[in-house]
Amino acid sequence: MTVDNQNLESGAMRFEVIKAALKGGAAARLGRLAFARRLPIDTPNYMGVTSRGALPHLTPDNVSKHLETTGAYMALEDFIERPQQYAKRTPPIYETPTTTKHNTRLHSFTALPQSVTTVLSARRLPAVASPMGNTNASVSVFTSTGFQVLTTKEYLSAVKTLTPDIAIPPADLTHSPITPNSKRALRMAERTDEWVVDWFSELSDSNNPRISTFAPVLPVSYSIQWEYISRLAEDYLPTSQLSGLAIYDADLLPDLAEHCAALVPLPRLSLADPPTPHHILRQITLGIDLFALPFINTISDAGLALSFTFPPPTTTNTSSVSESSSSCTGGPSPLAIDLSLPAHATSLLPLTPNCTCYACTSHHRAYIHHLLSAREMLGWTLLQIHNHAIMSAFFAGVRSMLAQGVAQEGNFDEAVRRFTLAYEPEFPEGVGQRPRARGYQYKSVGGGEGRRNKPAWSKLDGKAQDEEDGRIEA
Amino acid sequence: MASNRTFTSPALTFELVARCPVTRARASILTLPHGAVNLPIFMPVATQASLKGLTPEQLEATGCRLCLNNTYHLGLKPGQEVLDAVGGAHKLQGWNHNILTDSGGFQMVSLLKLANITEEGVRFLSPHDGSPMLLTPEHSMSLQNSIGSDIMMQLDDVLVTTSPDKARMREAMERSVRWLDRCIAAHKNPDTQNLFCIIQGGLDLDMRRECCREMLARNTPGIAIGGLSGGEAKDDFCKVVAACTELLPDLKPRYVMGIGYPEDLVVSVALGADMFDCVWPTRTARFGNAITKHGMLNMKREMYAADFGPIEEGCGCPCCRPTEEEGAMGITRAFVHHNAAKETVAAHLLTLHNVWYQLDLMRQARQAIIEDRFPAFVKGFFGNLYPDRNSYPTWAVDALRGVGIDLIQT
Ligand SMILES: [Zn+2]
Ligand SMILES: [Zn+2]
């Protein structure tokens, strides 16, 4: 099974399923996704989620040197704010010149290493729900200057200008945890259908062989969106305009495989925001190839170091996973260790044993504990480096289990089962203070983020606090 | 122990490499327990054992081989017990190059409203729980011994130079001398850590000279000029530095504490100083400011929103260097503008640039001294910074004229 949209030299994308379960359809599979001039992505795999074009706390040199991450999720709403005094300005990103080192505007503006594959969507992941809602021709987006209307036309034009490797067409989503009623769900499907039709007719006019479209599959039941999905399979698959699927609810995959087998060879990108590795594994078993993973950022901000491996350690002695765990009782190990806890104050151990990341090979828990306690920004940088390394290793472990011979078909499922037992179901909360909320994206969730942290240096005068704290000033 | 070019003491070697024949500027090599550093030098301030978001690896890549930690901050967090358990600040922060620590006294006086100074030490209220605490010379030494810094500073009685109280100024100067004696007596590792004295005396040049003589008699391996915290007029500052360097021995490093503006550095080098530190370059980065040879640029200004040039044309830092070069990131002003005060990454990038700028300025000054063209370097530096000669600051013109450079005449 191979999806090949290669146009000779400028070839857009190539996806190859190396190994899929014999039963076919919705099941874990091993593949390779390759874009011209990017590092190929062995799947299952993940991409980092950027904020305003940056992987939080990581300068591009640290990304190149210390991350194996081969993909980055970007949101157009992070680039198109309209400052009050300059409401009419063209978003600068549209005018960025490309260079030999950064061959798309998206790479060039963000200085993202060119080896990294980009995904562009209209909204952040997860997105803040808009009180205004979408219209027939626009989605409501949330920028640093507030909610604004993004017409589907403007979004398409941005995609053409920025040339991401993967573009997600606009989808009529509510971004709310509440399941839409069937009337609303039907309208979501109809609008998305119309938008996707416009998208392909516009995109085919232009010469954009490098942009691969991953069409959204909505988080509503298959029966509500079957017309839209059938159109994808019948109209846009044969023309090679459709390159992949952006899945907002992995539980739809069995229905998709059953009713629309033609779509099975397409790469599937999960935008379903799995909250834990358990959820990731479940989505992999449903056939997800690639994930955008927002939780890495929130885990790092919470002062947590991921501490799981896949497959899980086979020894009964799980205490090697974390010295602060309750493993002596034989219970499941934590998914992450909380570096803010005083137990780490003098520990010269790496964050997790055997981790080869920069944070673990050059530093130790005591330093990261100190940095978190002193609210020094480097603490979050080092945790990001480690947490990305753990995720890369996790997916490498998944692939190696999937790659084992047909005779050992059950190995992966068995490892998943053991993983479920070996680790706690959820991440610890993290007692540490978060970095200062960086701007706007938290506002609408109650404004609590700013007040979460107690003021530091309360005995000092205001000037001193301004001078010595570890935050950037808003 | 001193030849005519080299001075050696148990934990330090100072080698004079070149001397500007016009000014008092010197180029030298200071070898410390964690390696050699070239002087003149700017030392970035990693207050709490971290340079504002940069990894020690990134800091090392700027060429930095000597940075500061603040004793007061490390004494609070992680605290002396942890420092002892971990094995000192180098181990704590994974930094295999040199560290200089202040005594902790200045931080208390400047950060804490309620610090007061007696002969015993500095009394203050704990920022943790408000309980009364006391920092004595002995306690400062003990803390700095636990930190393991390559250069330790004596506890001094710091008074703002602008204080009008002459009697209090004299008391502070004399007490600083007495405290140096207590520091020397309390210093546990003189073979592996250097203790520098600090010359006090406010703006009174005679008092400064008297202090110089007293401090020099104690024969510390290096000498700092203290108390110049920026409150005083620039020409007073220059007079104090010049008065001190005139009396200081050639073969010991001279450290002017707490200064960092590029002009101050260049003028102080001309006046014969070797070492400088300041939080300003890294602090100002967090406010969105880039230091360049043409002055400071605030990247938050709208004019940079669509400026796709590097932060500073010609800069060799990893943000700015031409994209075809090794390690270049290809950062534009537009990207820094986009994220200034919004994502920590923008602050990290500007910190990287600013630290590079400061270190490179001193590298260039040093090279100019060695190549016997330091006066031309100074003129070029001011020429870049100001639109024309009429706008040169008078204090700089006067101070440089005093050491043989006439900025106004060609
Ligand atoms: Zn690690
Ligand atoms: Zn630069």
Side-chain angles (χ1 to χ4, degrees), chain A residues 214-288:
Chain A
F214 279 37
V217 175
L218 300 169
V220 299
S221 71
Y222 179 77
S223 60
I224 285 178
Q225 54 182 327
W226 72 271
E227 262 186 287
Y228 159 59
I229 288 170
S230 306
R231 187 192 310 283
L232 292 178
E234 284 156 27
D235 294 359
Y236 302 115
L237 193 61
T239 60
S240 293
Q241 284 169 285
L242 180 66
S243 304
L245 299 174
I247 311 286
Y248 287 93
D249 179 358
D251 283 323
L252 284 165
L253 287 174
D255 279 342
L256 270 184
E258 188 183 331
H259 300 291
C260 252
L263 296 177
V264 166
L266 292 179
R268 302 154 184 157
L269 165 66
S270 168
L271 302 180
D273 190 5
T276 71
H278 300 295
H279 295 78
I280 294 175
L281 289 171
R282 182 163 179 280
Q283 294 190 19
I284 289 173
T285 60
L286 290 170
I288 293 291

Side-chain angles (χ1 to χ4, degrees), chain B residues 315 317 320 353:
Chain B
C315 171
C317 89
C320 303
H353 168 84

Side-chain angles (χ1 to χ4, degrees), chain A residues 355 357 360 386:
Chain A
C355 180
C357 85
C360 287
H386 170 79

Side-chain angles (χ1 to χ4, degrees), chain B residues 24 205 208-209 212 238-247:
Chain B
R24 294 185 197 164
L205 300 186
R208 285 279 179 177
R209 290 188 188 104
C212 277
C238 292
K239 278 178 197 149
V240 168
V241 173
C244 294
T245 56
E246 200 171 20
L247 295 180

Side-chain angles (χ1 to χ4, degrees), chain B residues 50-96:
Chain B
S50 152
L51 195 85
K52 300 304 166 199
L54 299 197
T55 63
E57 182 188 58
Q58 283 175 307
L59 180 59
E60 185 180 39
T62 65
C64 177
R65 295 294 177 268
L66 171 55
C67 73
L68 252 80
N69 283 175
N70 288 120
T71 297
Y72 168 77
H73 289 85
L74 293 191
L76 288 176
K77 283 177 184 178
Q80 188 162 17
E81 252 175 70
V82 169
L83 285 164
D84 286 336
V86 166
H90 294 86
K91 268 210 162 156
L92 176 71
Q93 63 206 290
W95 177 250
N96 297 322

Side-chain angles (χ1 to χ4, degrees), chain B residues 338-388:
Chain B
H338 178 68
N339 276 329
K342 295 201 172 76
E343 279 297 328
T344 59
V345 161
H348 301 168
L349 293 170
L350 283 175
T351 300
L352 206 50
H353 168 84
N354 286 354
V355 166
W356 176 280
Y357 177 91
Q358 298 284 97
L359 295 180
D360 194 55
L361 180 66
M362 292 296 95
R363 282 192 285 258
Q364 289 179 34
R366 185 172 195 274
Q367 203 53 35
I369 296 164
I370 291 171
E371 291 168 9
D372 197 7
R373 52 177 178 76
F374 182 69
F377 166 81
V378 174
K379 287 178 184 177
F381 169 81
F382 278 92
N384 277 327
L385 202 51
Y386 291 95
D388 56 66

Side-chain angles (χ1 to χ4, degrees), chain A residues 51-52 57 59 61 66 78 86 89 92 101 109 363-364 367 370 373-374 376 438 457 460-461 464 472-473, chain B residues 48-50 52 57-58 77 91-93 112 287 302 305 308 323 328 335 338-339 341-344 347:
Chain A
S51 177
R52 302 187 63 79
H57 310 302
T59 48
D61 56 341
H66 298 309
D78 275 351
Y86 312 98
R89 78 171 189 194
K101 198 157 186 172
F109 188 79
H363 299 287
H364 42 65
Y367 188 39
H370 163 69
S373 151
E376 281 285 340
R438 294 181 304 285
W457 302 101
L460 313 186
D461 61 26
I472 52 173
E473 305 301 322
Chain B
Q48 310 192 83
S50 152
K52 300 304 166 199
E57 182 188 58
Q58 283 175 307
K77 283 177 184 178
K91 268 210 162 156
L92 176 71
Q93 63 206 290
L112 298 169
F287 296 125
E302 179 65 17
F308 302 109
T323 49
F335 184 60
H338 178 68
N339 276 329
K342 295 201 172 76
E343 279 297 328
T344 59

